[in-house]
Amino acid sequence: MRPFSYDRAAGAPGDAGTTWLAGGTTLLDLMKLDVMRPERLADINGLGLAEVRLDAQGLHLGALARMAEVAGNAEVQRHFPVVAQSLALAASQQLRNMASLGGNVLQRTRCPYFRDPSHAACNKRNPGSGCGAMDGANRLQAVLGTSDACIAAYPGDFAQALVALDAEVTLRGAAGERRMRFADLHVQPGTTPERETTLRPGELITGFTVPAGPWAARSLYLKVRDRESYAFALASAAVALDLDGKVVREARIALGGVATVPWRAAEAEADLRGKVLDEASATRAAEAAFAAARTHGENAFKPELGRRTLVRALLLAKRMEA
Amino acid sequence: MTAPAESGGLERRFLLGGGAMLPLLAGTATAQPTPATPAHEGRSMEMTLQVNGQAHRLALDSRTTLLDALREHMGLTGSKKGCDQGQCGACTVLLDGRPVLACLTLAAGVGTRPVITIEGLHGRDGGLHPMQQAFLDQDAFQCGYCTPGQIISAVACVRQGHAGSAEEIREFMSGNLCRCAAYPQIVAAVQQAAPLVEQG
Ligand SMILES: Cc1cc2nc3c(=O)[nH]c(=O)nc-3n(C[C@H](O)[C@H](O)[C@H](O)COP(=O)(O)OP(=O)(O)OC[C@H]3O[C@@H](n4cnc5c(N)ncnc54)[C@H](O)[C@@H]3O)c2cc1C
Ligand code: FES
Ligand code: FES
């Protein structure tokens, strides 16, 4: 690890050049690998920002609430099951005890070329150097939202719940506080894969608001992985349904493990609106969701796995008592 | 988590707490040689860690993880370094009563929160903790490398009320990998000890 200074943060904004330290489970890992090289760490764990609160507007989550705490919160489990499940099915108990929600949404890709600086080519780590994954080991990489510069998958789970439920993120920076749609936080790689979010330098995520909606209670997170626990998603689906009998009033869908950013499946949602939800309509929606998929060899299985994951998630959500 | 941490003072210190007097080694065991380093050096920081009920006063490079602080600077080598990347669970310790990975925790960030390692577990009579005894009784290890982390996680699993079924135990403990695949015996050990370990 390279040398750095460590201080307790007094509050946002930090000056450009300061890197926030929350749980450290992404940051320290990538510092050891020499992928992230911050010179100044500001530890934000003393700032509070740990609220987990439900009210008529919805669910308010502080950026420093821990994954384990939110996953285990009975109210969240009951009223926003997709949020609790996306956290409970992620990482391990130890990591969930350490990791914060703010750090979680900013976790970096697990692409092996990104994580290992001995590979020369990685446009995300070293802009302009090429992409080792494109024709290399890409079983875990994305099929949606990719570009010619980068196919690295967004690895997290919780962000899909936030995207599906139209959450907002609150930020504190030099210009004061601002709120934006959570869906606008992450950006697709395009020609600049090194730019992953719309955060401004020194800006701090202070929390998330998940609006209450008629679909929130009938929601779930389905995650398919290489082993039954403690693995990143090969494909996952966050779904929330507002049903009128068997007919879909509103469907909210986000896909994980298959895309470069937390992926809202707007085409699939539109496809389901006003339809009777059954295997046939769910399958058509899933086809719409993956119509634009581009595979790269080892990850050729992902569109089919992703479609089946979404169909199963929709049919399971339909059967929920909500 | 109150006062801003000190980051000055490059002078070498000796370990004061815990009775043991071990010379403090410079740097950390895992510090890589760093070509093209940023302008400043890693800072030495003074801190007092509360480990197994004893205060350990240390001066450590800011890069030192809790795991290296335990193993290299306090002589507590029970917590193991399997991967040093948060993947295997061999370094699991209790921080504020919750299992965490010492390899991804900066010592400087621990503050006054109590740390319990495998060395800090014991039974009522001062002998083996019921979970340690259960691991012996059930043959829940082969090489034993993962065992300290397994036992720490297992204690938390029971205390936090997640030992209700084999499935629940497996899920709570899934962050502790065992290369020798003693998993069935580990689950049996947790089930044996569960009634003897207090919850809460
Ligand atoms: C072995 C392993 C398995 C894992 N499996 C999964 C999994 O299955 N699913 C999953 O979703 N995740 C998984 N993870 C990732 C894990 O969930 C993240 O590392 C964790 O959530 C990051 O949170 P943190 O608080 O530790 O962030 P940190 O490491 O402290 O920070 C991460 C980044 O965010 C920045 N940051 C942190 N907080 C803020 C803030 N409030 N405002 C602005 N910037 C901030 C930091 O500067 C840093 O760049 C796994 C990790 C490991 C090591
Ligand atoms: S050594 Fe910490 S998880 Fe492997
Ligand atoms: S007993 Fe050998 S790794 Fe678990």
Side-chain angles (χ1 to χ4, degrees):
Chain A
M1 230 193 292
R2 291 171 194 245
F4 57 84
S5 67
Y6 168 94
D7 283 291
R8 303 263 154 97
D15 18 314
T18 297
T19 300
W20 304 120
L21 171 69
T25 62
T26 285
L27 187 55
L28 280 175
D29 182 28
L30 291 176
M31 285 166 68
K32 289 180 185 194
L33 294 171
D34 206 25
V35 172
M36 289 178 81
R37 302 168 175 180
E39 294 183 20
R40 295 211 309 278
L41 292 192
D43 187 332
I44 57 177
N45 290 294
L47 296 182
L49 301 176
E51 83 172 330
V52 181
R53 185 169 56 85
L54 273 90
D55 64 16
Q57 273 71 53
L59 174 61
H60 306 271
L61 298 170
L64 288 167
R66 303 293 140 167
M67 292 171 71
E69 202 206 321
V70 182
N73 183 298
E75 294 280 283
V76 180
Q77 289 170 355
R78 177 150 163 248
H79 298 288
F80 293 86
V82 65
V83 171
Q85 291 167 16
S86 69
L87 291 163
L89 295 171
S92 66
Q93 186 64 34
Q94 293 97 312
L95 288 158
R96 292 190 295 271
N97 284 335
M98 302 167 75
S100 67
L101 300 186
N104 182 283
V105 300
L106 296 176
Q107 65 180 286
R108 312 290 300 275
T109 184
R110 308 297 291 193
C111 176
Y113 299 91
F114 174 73
R115 286 174 57 81
D116 183 353
S118 72
H119 289 292
C122 172
N123 286 325
K124 196 184 267 304
R125 180 163 42 72
N126 187 8
S129 62
C131 172
M134 206 73 72
D135 300 308
N138 55 33
R139 178 169 176 271
L140 300 177
Q141 301 318 326
V143 296
L144 292 168
T146 58
S147 72
D148 290 339
C150 184
I151 59 170
Y154 175 78
D157 295 298
F158 172 55
Q160 277 73 249
L162 294 179
V163 164
L165 296 182
D166 278 320
E168 285 192 322
V169 57
T170 315
L171 305 161
R172 199 186 293 156
E177 201 153 274
R178 66 177 177 125
R179 281 164 84 107
M180 67 175 178
R181 289 179 351 127
F182 178 77
D184 294 332
L185 181 65
H186 293 86
V187 288
Q188 293 181 31
T191 54
T192 54
E194 71 281 10
R195 180 169 174 266
E196 295 178 349
T197 72
T198 54
L199 277 184
R200 297 170 188 157
E203 214 167 21
L204 182 75
I205 297 178
T206 55
F208 309 91
T209 306
V210 190
W215 43 78
R218 187 186 291 281
S219 69
L220 60 80
Y221 191 71
L222 181 65
K223 180 173 177 182
V224 177
R225 35 194 170 168
D226 277 328
R227 54 186 178 204
E228 223 173 88
S229 179
Y230 194 27
F232 288 93
L234 292 172
S236 71
V239 304
L241 294 176
D242 179 20
L243 296 180
D244 179 6
K246 288 179 181 168
V247 176
V248 178
R249 259 195 224 112
E250 202 65 63
R252 303 305 182 89
I253 302 170
L255 303 173
V258 292
T260 53
V261 293
W263 189 263
R264 181 81 178 255
E267 302 82 356
E269 294 178 3
D271 212 80
L272 283 169
R273 206 164 291 132
K275 305 259 170 63
V276 170
L277 180 55
D278 55 21
E279 186 151 357
S281 62
T283 303
R284 277 196 302 275
E287 274 158 14
F290 284 88
R294 271 183 66 195
T295 63
H296 285 86
E298 289 180 359
N299 69 3
F301 70 96
K302 280 205 173 181
E304 182 60 15
L305 185 66
R307 281 189 288 267
R308 291 182 186 204
T309 304
L310 177 52
V311 170
R312 194 164 127 213
L314 286 166
L315 296 178
L316 285 171
K318 179 189 173 187
R319 272 191 252 128
M320 283 174 74
E321 290 182 29
Chain B
M1 301 257 126
T2 45
E6 287 177 47
S7 50
L10 287 159
E11 145 201 24
R12 303 265 153 79
R13 296 268 164 170
F14 289 86
L15 186 72
L16 299 175
M21 294 292 280
L22 296 173
L24 179 62
L25 304 173
T28 69
T30 50
Q32 304 289 322
T34 50
T37 49
H40 57 76
E41 292 290 299
R43 312 281 179 79
S44 171
M45 304 183 58
E46 290 185 27
M47 63 191 82
T48 302
L49 298 180
Q50 306 291 336
V51 180
N52 300 332
Q54 293 185 319
H56 294 254
R57 214 172 136 210
L58 305 160
L60 300 173
D61 184 294
S62 57
R63 290 170 287 189
T64 314
T65 60
L66 176 58
L67 182 60
D68 285 335
L70 293 167
R71 293 181 52 84
E72 310 291 332
H73 300 280
M74 292 178 226
L76 295 171
T77 53
S79 308
K80 297 292 182 258
K81 185 183 283 190
C83 65
D84 211 22
Q85 286 185 9
Q87 298 181 0
C88 74
C91 64
T92 303
V93 300
L94 298 179
L95 179 58
D96 244 350
R98 308 269 150 192
V100 300
L101 303 174
C103 73
L104 290 185
T105 302
L106 278 185
V110 170
T112 56
R113 293 177 290 168
V115 177
I116 302 287
T117 69
I118 189 72
E119 291 92 340
L121 289 187
H122 50 77
R124 283 221 179 79
D125 58 358
L128 290 180
H129 186 279
M131 192 63 77
Q132 293 172 314
Q133 188 60 52
F135 268 64
L136 283 172
D137 293 346
Q138 297 292 338
D139 228 355
F141 50 85
Q142 289 181 44
C143 77
Y145 199 80
C146 71
T147 312
Q150 299 280 4
I151 291 177
I152 291 285
S153 274
V155 168
C157 176
V158 178
R159 281 196 190 147
Q160 290 165 33
H162 295 284
S165 66
E167 204 172 302
E168 220 189 332
I169 294 167
R170 280 196 292 268
E171 178 57 40
F172 190 94
M173 306 267 301
S174 70
N176 291 86
L177 305 187
C178 177
R179 191 64 184 78
C180 303
Y183 297 111
Q185 293 85 350
I186 292 170
V187 172
V190 178
Q191 287 177 319
Q192 174 187 321
L196 306 172
V197 177
E198 273 173 49
Q199 291 202 10

